[in-house]
Amino acid sequence: MARSRLWLMIAVGLSILVLALSNAVLSDHYMLLSFVLLMAVMLPLFVRFERRKLEARELVLLAMLAAIAAVSRIPFAALPSVKPVSAIVILSALVFGSEAGFIVGAMAALVSNIYFGQGPWTPWQMFAWGMMGVSAGLLRNTWWMRKRLGLLTFGLIWGFLFGWIMNLWVVIDLAVALEWKAVLAVYAQSFYFDLAHALSNVFFLAILAGGWIKVLERFRKKYGLLDSG
Amino acid sequence: MTSGFRALHPVTLFLFYGGLLLCGMLLFHPVFLLTGIVLLVSLIVIQKHGGTIVKMLPLYLLIGIAIVVINPLISHRGRYILFYFMDQPITLESVLYGVTMLLSLTLILLTSLSYNYNVTTDKFMYLFARLVPQSALVVMMALRFVPLLRRRLSQITLVQRTRGISVHEGSLTKRMRDGMTLVKVLLVWSLEEALQSADSMKARGYGTTKRTAYVVHRMDRRDRWLTGCLSILILVIMVGSALGWGRAVIYPRMQSMVFSMEDWILYVCFGIYMLIPVIVEGKEWLSWKYSK
């Protein structure tokens, strides 16, 4: 019963997806297209997470990291673009791997927006922070990320990337007609905000890196958390 | 006590808002969008949370003015030139496009307002807890941790101030560094405690069998009926809009906004779709008012 219902739901979901996608492509609905693509990118990551049977400890750890990242956004709410969330997501991913990084990043966006207000930007933020976590986790064993300077550069780059991804939301959803001049104007306008985000990333990573990695590593070793990931 | 539209089954509600979001993006026509906005605002007003609209207004005006003003300045596509502004032709098409874009965005923002009111977090969780149990559990725990962490953070701040660690005094660098010290204390404390609650979860049998959930929502006849109606309407709207109905052709050259037969069909479908919550809510209100 439950199984057949699940398949039915998957079938219905797929048919809606196909219909929406064809609709979007056929008549230039970029907003819809972007929504569908975002979901399509994040879905496999969530499915993979669901398929891994995690211990209670690991789930609680992920929830706690996401909550800390979300809470850290609150005291800085007055300063736009200064978001310690990015630094916390990157550090969590460095210690616990890319999958954990994705979950912490995506969940932090979802949870903190319950306080800051949900809207069409939520999936974009989930995507941007999730991908930040994934990339930090994938690169964690390279010599580059082991170096302090490399880590700071990584934070700097992602400060800009995050802004650029969120600009896509502005460009697509507020679509001031898709023209190059308009797109360029949006990207030029956001430069200082992106710079502020990038610099605050560097700052937070510089302060946090040593201490937090030590703390998180200690927890990982002591409790044997997320070892394979 | 919830009643009216809010009391519908979460599946029905979620379907309605999903479909509405889709309509807001698909039906790129000022008349459609305006109708949707009027009916959605009346739903919000009947449900008595009009205050949320007022709260959103400043941000909305900022974005709105930007779209309406910037689009004609940047885009000079179109045939009918209204006037020249600093030697730049301002076309009717680009003005209209900006306005339509604004209406589309308005409908989407209003949808998210109404959604936040009607589909509360627990209903969202009810929908997804069985589909994606692990992610749902993580979100639920994280949500619960947020107020707890804020309380703890204020305790830590109080204690650390006696050591001169404070975010309220000193240079900016010192304040930011102190802020991060506070967060680090929070991290160690909370992780230690979180792992203890995890052990307690495990001791009570988490993960030994499939996770069950207490179900408070029951799908009754009205829910099934409305779900059916909404699904059919969404399907018609999606197919129709894929065929190009209900879409104002603005670029490269504006065409008549007068409805064709197909547009009327789509318009009626969309109207019924938007009226459903208003009727459900209004019926409740009437029967409450005249039952005494």
Side-chain angles (χ1 to χ4, degrees):
Chain A
M1 176 65 190
R3 173 133 281 195
S4 67
R5 199 188 280 172
L6 184 72
W7 282 112
L8 188 71
M9 277 166 83
I10 291 175
V12 171
L14 270 182
S15 52
I16 290 177
L17 188 82
V18 170
L19 201 54
L21 204 60
S22 58
N23 212 331
V25 173
L26 282 178
S27 41
D28 305 336
H29 286 299
Y30 296 110
M31 206 195 293
L32 185 60
L33 186 64
S34 68
F35 248 68
V36 173
L37 288 182
L38 273 186
M39 293 299 149
V41 171
M42 287 198 285
L43 199 67
L45 290 162
F46 275 112
V47 169
R48 221 186 107 194
F49 176 69
E50 283 302 325
R51 294 181 67 135
R52 265 182 71 181
K53 283 286 151 262
L54 290 174
E55 283 288 314
R57 276 175 174 176
E58 292 160 341
L59 286 177
V60 176
L61 172 88
L62 290 177
M64 189 49 97
L65 287 173
I68 289 179
V71 166
S72 75
R73 213 181 143 186
I74 294 170
F76 294 97
L79 301 169
S81 310
V82 177
K83 301 183 185 90
V85 184
S86 309
I88 295 176
V89 170
I90 291 174
L91 292 176
S92 313
L94 278 186
V95 177
F96 296 110
S98 60
E99 203 171 12
F102 173 73
I103 292 296
V104 171
M107 296 297 182
L110 187 65
V111 169
S112 67
N113 276 351
I114 283 177
Y115 297 88
F116 284 91
Q118 303 278 8
W121 49 83
T122 308
W124 288 95
Q125 283 181 335
M126 285 176 71
F127 172 77
W129 270 321
M131 286 304 131
M132 195 184 286
V134 169
S135 58
L138 286 178
L139 295 174
R140 67 175 168 156
N141 287 327
T142 54
W143 63 271
W144 178 253
M145 292 295 271
R146 294 254 166 242
K147 291 240 183 328
R148 189 177 166 81
L149 199 66
L151 181 64
L152 296 186
T153 320
F154 183 81
L156 187 81
I157 294 171
W158 255 108
F160 281 104
L161 276 181
F162 184 90
W164 290 343
I165 292 174
M166 293 312 287
N167 279 352
L168 275 182
W169 172 70
V170 177
V171 167
I172 293 175
D173 286 13
L174 309 185
V176 190
L178 286 172
E179 284 179 25
W180 283 113
K181 261 200 278 177
V183 174
L184 278 181
V186 169
Y187 275 84
Q189 212 178 25
S190 80
F191 177 77
Y192 287 104
F193 292 98
D194 298 341
L195 185 68
H197 185 192
L199 289 180
S200 72
N201 268 358
V202 171
F203 181 83
F204 286 128
L205 280 174
I207 298 180
L208 295 178
W212 275 53
I213 289 183
K214 231 189 238 164
V215 169
L216 292 177
E217 287 277 6
R218 169 80 188 131
F219 272 98
R220 191 172 67 121
K221 273 200 196 117
K222 184 173 170 190
Y223 295 99
L225 300 167
L226 294 164
D227 259 339
S228 55
Chain B
M1 182 68 199
T2 55
S3 61
F5 189 57
R6 253 192 133 177
L8 292 182
H9 195 269
V11 170
T12 318
L13 286 175
F14 201 74
L15 184 73
F16 174 76
Y17 285 105
L20 187 52
L21 202 65
L22 217 59
C23 289
M25 297 191 269
L26 286 179
L27 304 172
F28 196 76
H29 192 301
V31 179
F32 277 86
L33 294 170
L34 215 56
T35 314
I37 291 169
V38 169
L39 288 173
L40 196 56
V41 168
S42 51
L43 176 70
I44 291 176
V45 171
I46 295 173
Q47 290 191 323
K48 298 199 182 76
H49 63 108
T52 48
I53 301 183
V54 179
K55 249 200 310 201
M56 191 190 72
L57 220 52
L59 172 77
Y60 169 72
L61 282 179
L62 199 77
I63 300 176
I65 291 170
I67 295 176
V68 171
V69 172
I70 290 175
N71 190 50
L73 288 182
I74 294 176
S75 157
H76 304 301
R77 291 169 73 185
R79 213 179 128 83
Y80 304 97
I81 294 169
L82 291 179
F83 56 89
Y84 284 86
F85 178 75
M86 288 164 59
D87 289 342
Q88 303 280 339
I90 303 294
T91 63
L92 178 64
E93 280 90 346
S94 59
V95 172
L96 204 68
Y97 191 88
V99 171
T100 315
M101 206 65 228
L102 177 67
L103 290 176
S104 169
L105 184 74
T106 313
L107 187 60
I108 290 172
L109 282 182
L110 285 173
T111 305
S112 77
L113 276 189
S114 180
Y115 170 89
N116 281 340
Y117 179 77
N118 284 312
V119 187
T120 46
T121 313
D122 66 308
K123 286 182 202 164
F124 181 80
M125 283 307 150
Y126 162 77
L127 285 172
F128 288 94
R130 283 179 301 176
L131 268 181
V132 282
Q134 286 199 95
S135 314
L137 185 65
V138 171
V139 177
M140 248 187 296
M141 284 193 292
L143 272 178
R144 182 261 175 278
F145 285 147
V146 170
L148 177 77
L149 291 181
R150 291 176 81 170
R151 218 159 42 233
R152 276 188 192 158
L153 194 60
S154 68
Q155 286 172 5
I156 296 169
T157 314
L158 213 61
V159 172
Q160 294 291 328
R161 195 182 296 156
T162 60
R163 297 178 52 210
I165 291 179
S166 160
V167 283
H168 297 292
E169 50 207 48
S171 65
L172 186 68
T173 331
K174 186 230 163 221
R175 274 155 63 184
M176 279 172 101
R177 185 171 294 141
D178 281 358
M180 282 341 238
T181 310
L182 298 181
V183 180
K184 187 174 157 189
V185 176
L186 181 72
L187 174 82
V188 178
W189 180 8
S190 303
L191 280 186
E192 197 69 58
E193 192 137 288
L195 291 170
Q196 276 183 20
S197 33
D199 288 344
S200 139
M201 270 167 72
K202 192 162 175 159
R204 289 163 204 208
Y206 172 81
T208 46
T209 55
K210 212 164 170 286
R211 201 169 145 77
T212 58
Y214 171 58
V215 178
V216 266
H217 306 284
R218 228 185 62 235
M219 198 107 182
D220 59 17
R221 230 176 88 217
R222 182 176 67 162
D223 293 322
R224 274 197 291 273
W225 253 100
L226 287 177
T227 310
C229 289
L230 290 175
S231 321
I232 292 170
L233 288 171
I234 293 175
L235 210 67
V236 172
I237 290 174
M238 281 179 85
V239 172
S241 109
L243 295 173
W245 308 352
R247 232 176 114 73
V249 179
I250 295 178
Y251 287 143
R253 173 180 176 181
M254 197 175 82
Q255 279 162 26
S256 161
M257 289 271 159
V258 179
F259 281 6
S260 65
M261 189 62 208
E262 289 89 356
D263 290 337
W264 274 114
I265 297 175
L266 209 60
Y267 186 73
V268 170
C269 287
F270 182 59
I272 297 173
Y273 189 85
M274 291 304 301
L275 270 175
I276 285 177
V278 180
I279 291 171
V280 170
E281 196 66 33
K283 220 179 87 193
E284 203 86 4
W285 182 78
L286 280 178
S287 61
W288 173 250
K289 190 154 185 205
Y290 293 108
S291 65
K292 286 178 223 160

